[in-house]
Amino acid sequence: MSSGQQGTMRGKEAFMRNISSRLGRREPLAEAPSRPFIGVPDFYRERTRTQDELIDEFIQSWTALSGKTLVVDEAEAPQAVEAYIRQLAGELGIKRISRWEHEGLEKLGFDQSLNEAGIEVVAWREGGADHIELGGLPTGPDGNWARRSHLLHAAEQCRLGVVWPDCAIANTSTLALFSQGGKGRSVSLLTEAIVAVFRADQIVYRMGEAFALFKKQFPNVTDMPSSLNLITGPSRSADIENDLTIGIHGPGKVHAIILK
């Protein structure tokens, strides 16, 4: 076939007849079937859950994926979240954590108490790592690492990240993170463990509700975050022989603190 000449598909009719026969049809359809419904079926869309049911379903699915969960009263959240992070850091031998620059996390106010306990806190904002002293760069002063910001250098050396998801999805135990501004991907991607703190009223039932929330918050493409990250349990990676490894392409330990 000469350059620019349109190719032809051979055996298409026989191929389509074979598929049609396996579907129990005498002949292939002459026209595409109509699709009157878009999205989930009505019975599924109309299915509702109470807040307690959403919490229970999220915990059940999250636990099945080896995630850990703590449910606390919102009034006790500052003390409970700080104690949980401190205990987790102690168990894992962590001395530096990163967190989102988020209003909800700011109100919890655990930075100072963690610093006093010997745990450095890197906030994902301009100047959020200025107090951190870093060691030598792996690629030297002239390598690629030297061109990265001090904030990113500090975040890369944090082993625990704390985030406030935009919503959580009950039936898949998924965290939805809209990454922009002070909500950097590095906090939830580079660390070996994450702690997600969110209110119970942020739990939705279906994945489609999370996407609807995303579209509602960002109706214009130009205003959309750099990414929408969906985290369902620890990072799992498998090679062609199905050898499963935990924590290679993301955190291997996941924790959720639900404020009720």
Side-chain angles (χ1 to χ4, degrees), residues 142-171:
D142 299 323
N144 290 332
W145 277 47
R147 292 191 286 270
R148 301 182 184 183
S149 68
H150 184 77
L151 176 61
L152 184 54
H153 283 309
E156 288 170 333
Q157 297 181 25
C158 294
R159 296 173 54 205
L160 172 65
V162 184
V163 299
W164 190 294
D166 292 85
C167 70
I169 303 161
N171 66 354

Side-chain angles (χ1 to χ4, degrees), residues 54-75:
L54 290 173
I55 294 173
D56 291 342
E57 186 160 349
F58 178 89
I59 292 175
Q60 182 179 0
S61 301
W62 189 255
T63 303
L65 295 170
S66 74
K68 307 296 183 183
T69 311
L70 174 68
V71 180
V72 300
D73 189 280
E74 194 163 3

Side-chain angles (χ1 to χ4, degrees), residues 100 164-169 174-178 207 210 228-231:
W100 273 6
W164 190 294
D166 292 85
C167 70
I169 303 161
T174 299
L175 308 175
L177 280 60
F178 305 164
M207 184 75 70
L228 163 56
N229 299 323
L230 302 173
I231 301 176

Side-chain angles (χ1 to χ4, degrees), residues 10-29:
R10 298 182 180 180
K12 175 181 177 180
E13 290 78 9
F15 179 79
M16 296 303 296
R17 282 196 298 270
N18 181 45
I19 293 178
S20 296
S21 65
R22 291 177 178 272
L23 293 174
R25 299 170 181 165
R26 294 182 178 181
E27 295 290 336
L29 297 178

Side-chain angles (χ1 to χ4, degrees), residues 21-207:
S21 65
R22 291 177 178 272
L23 293 174
R25 299 170 181 165
R26 294 182 178 181
E27 295 290 336
L29 297 178
E31 297 180 356
S34 62
R35 188 181 178 186
F37 305 106
I38 298 177
V40 299
D42 289 340
F43 77 89
Y44 188 64
R45 182 184 295 107
E46 295 168 359
R47 187 181 299 172
T48 60
R49 294 287 189 271
T50 65
Q51 186 175 95
D52 287 340
E53 289 173 335
L54 290 173
I55 294 173
D56 291 342
E57 186 160 349
F58 178 89
I59 292 175
Q60 182 179 0
S61 301
W62 189 255
T63 303
L65 295 170
S66 74
K68 307 296 183 183
T69 311
L70 174 68
V71 180
V72 300
D73 189 280
E74 194 163 3
E76 302 172 356
Q79 297 80 15
V81 172
E82 186 271 332
Y84 191 94
I85 294 174
R86 183 188 296 196
Q87 179 180 351
L88 180 60
E91 293 173 355
L92 300 177
I94 292 174
K95 296 298 183 182
R96 181 182 298 157
I97 71 170
S98 58
R99 69 163 176 85
W100 273 6
E101 182 73 1
H102 187 281
E103 181 182 2
L105 297 178
E106 288 283 347
K107 288 182 178 180
L108 294 176
F110 52 72
D111 289 13
Q112 182 176 348
S113 57
L114 290 179
N115 281 320
E116 292 173 353
I119 303 171
E120 296 177 324
V121 180
V122 175
W124 191 262
R125 56 175 167 76
E126 190 70 28
D130 288 352
H131 61 292
I132 302 295
E133 295 184 7
L134 302 175
L137 302 178
T139 57
D142 299 323
N144 290 332
W145 277 47
R147 292 191 286 270
R148 301 182 184 183
S149 68
H150 184 77
L151 176 61
L152 184 54
H153 283 309
E156 288 170 333
Q157 297 181 25
C158 294
R159 296 173 54 205
L160 172 65
V162 184
V163 299
W164 190 294
D166 292 85
C167 70
I169 303 161
N171 66 354
T172 57
S173 69
T174 299
L175 308 175
L177 280 60
F178 305 164
S179 298
Q180 65 173 178
K183 305 189 296 182
R185 293 187 300 271
S186 297
V187 177
S188 62
L189 179 64
L190 299 181
T191 54
E192 65 184 63
I194 61 168
V195 174
V197 185
F198 53 93
R199 299 187 314 275
D201 61 12
Q202 291 182 261
I203 304 177
V204 299
Y205 182 49
R206 297 175 292 272
M207 184 75 70

